[in-house]
Amino acid sequence: MTYTVAVSGATGYAGGEVLRLLCGHPDIEVATVAAHSSAGQKLGALQPHLHALADRDVVETTAQNLTGHDVVFLALPHGQSAALAEQLPAGTVVIDAGADHRLESAEAWGAFYGSDHAGTWPYGLPELLVDPNGRKQRENLPGATRIAVPGCYPTGSLLALAPALAAGLVSPQDIVIVSASGTSGAGKALKPHLLGAETMGGMSPYGVGGGHRHTPEIEQGLGWAAGEGVRISFTPTLAPMSRGILTTATAALRPGTTEEAVREAYRAAYDGEPFVHLLPEGQWPTTKSVQASNHVALQLAVDPHAGRLVVSAAIDNLTKGTAGAAVQSLNLALGLPETAGLTAQGVAP
């Protein structure tokens, strides 16, 4: 069976990555590409790398234009998905790549986004441990008609620390996460501080002091794994690259925890996962190795001097951090092979 798909926000980075993956999906037909300000143009003028869809007309993002498809992807700015999603038929599979439906806490949503909470949808990170007993979010996705895709920073952070928290090996109240992201994570809209002349050859932090909007999402997911509340200090940084995220997360070890115990917890969590891999000891993740793939590369170490676990995770922010997770979740929702349309192989050099 072939499923028809509409992609809203098709001219942005996230929407373009969704389309790139769908072009190689054996069970998907891209029927409609939609946007706002670029409506009326040919997609090839805006996403020239999508040769198979170059002649498609970009239509206006409206509920009418999106209705009638089996699946709708919403790759819209935060706060713009909820009202549109409410107008789509209940039987349509709607996958939101924005933040509107990720958080369970209306209070956290209001504090970080400053608007009314739109409700919570199943979270689109299949590999995430969601309780200390080893259950994963994958179990909640088959048959789902509404799915909230995780943020790119949370994807790396959650997969880096969830096994240690679920196994009770680290403290849930002493977690520090620093992530470096490529500039595509900020979207395609023109911003002076993202010009090439401003970003090339340098790095800078932002959202410092607990103010980044992904903070409550990371705490929520790690709290599921731990089975209790979690507190983090999260600092994002902007790196001079177009795509990729390198996360380094540290947490205080419980007394008596050994590196072998930690490695065993990660092996138990991720052995057999098609897209998450703990690298051989001594090999550390690089963003280049996962570029354009749905792969998550992990490595860990125990720092006996500081009494802390250190975990590094590399992802492509546009693939596994957004569009790849969306397609992976779609496959599970529709009962298709989970890996359809996706690859764990990066590109090099």
Side-chain angles (χ1 to χ4, degrees):
M1 177 178 179
T2 298
Y3 296 90
T4 59
V5 170
V7 177
S8 177
T11 59
Y13 288 139
E17 187 73 352
V18 168
L19 289 169
R20 181 180 75 86
L21 297 177
L22 294 180
C23 283
H25 198 298
D27 302 298
I28 295 298
E29 175 194 346
V30 177
T32 297
V33 293
H36 281 302
S37 60
S38 53
Q41 300 184 58
K42 294 291 185 182
L43 185 66
L46 303 162
Q47 303 281 24
H49 63 298
L50 300 176
H51 309 294
L53 303 174
D55 292 334
R56 297 295 183 90
D57 293 315
V58 179
V59 302
E60 180 69 26
T61 291
T62 64
Q64 181 178 1
N65 285 335
L66 299 179
T67 296
H69 303 82
D70 298 310
V71 182
V72 174
F73 288 88
L74 301 177
L76 302 173
H78 302 321
Q80 295 187 17
S81 298
L84 186 61
E86 287 182 351
Q87 302 175 61
L88 298 177
T92 301
V93 177
V94 181
I95 300 180
D96 186 6
D100 294 30
H101 302 97
R102 295 173 185 161
L103 295 181
E104 293 180 327
S105 168
E107 180 180 359
W109 175 268
F112 281 83
Y113 292 91
S115 60
D116 292 335
H117 187 227
T120 308
W121 291 359
Y123 198 61
L125 187 54
E127 304 92 346
L128 178 62
L129 290 163
V130 291
D131 65 38
N133 298 317
R135 189 170 63 88
K136 293 185 178 180
Q137 182 61 15
R138 175 180 287 109
E139 298 178 26
N140 298 323
L141 296 175
T145 58
R146 298 292 188 269
I147 298 172
V149 177
C152 51
Y153 282 129
T155 296
S157 299
L158 294 174
L159 296 177
L161 286 176
L165 284 161
L169 300 175
V170 296
S171 168
Q173 301 302 318
D174 189 358
I175 294 172
V176 178
I177 301 171
V178 178
S179 295
S181 175
T183 56
S184 60
K188 205 171 185 179
L190 294 177
K191 304 177 181 71
H193 74 285
L194 296 178
L195 294 172
E198 302 293 331
T199 60
M200 287 187 298
M203 291 185 65
S204 59
Y206 64 102
V208 181
H212 195 276
R213 287 176 168 180
H214 283 155
T215 298
E217 185 181 344
I218 298 171
E219 290 186 335
Q220 172 181 273
L222 292 180
W224 292 337
E228 59 181 300
V230 168
R231 183 177 299 172
I232 70 168
S233 172
F234 173 59
T235 303
T237 63
L238 191 65
M241 55 188 183
S242 61
R243 55 199 295 164
I245 287 178
L246 183 66
T247 293
T248 301
T250 77
L253 291 163
R254 300 281 196 190
T257 298
T258 65
E259 181 163 324
E260 181 52 38
V262 177
R263 288 192 177 278
E264 181 54 36
Y266 279 74
R267 284 192 289 264
Y270 296 137
D271 275 1
E273 285 291 349
F275 299 118
V276 184
H277 301 103
L278 180 64
L279 298 174
E281 291 187 46
Q283 182 180 349
W284 288 86
T286 67
T287 56
K288 189 67 175 177
S289 70
V290 299
Q291 187 169 317
S293 79
N294 205 49
H295 185 199
V296 183
L298 297 170
Q299 187 54 277
L300 62 87
V302 165
D303 180 349
H305 176 72
R308 299 187 73 81
L309 171 66
V310 182
V311 186
S312 286
I315 66 169
D316 185 310
N317 60 298
L318 293 179
T319 314
K320 182 57 175 172
T322 309
V327 172
Q328 188 178 351
S329 298
L330 169 68
N331 290 337
L332 288 165
L334 295 179
L336 301 173
E338 187 173 339
T339 59
L342 299 168
T343 180
Q345 314 311 313
V347 295

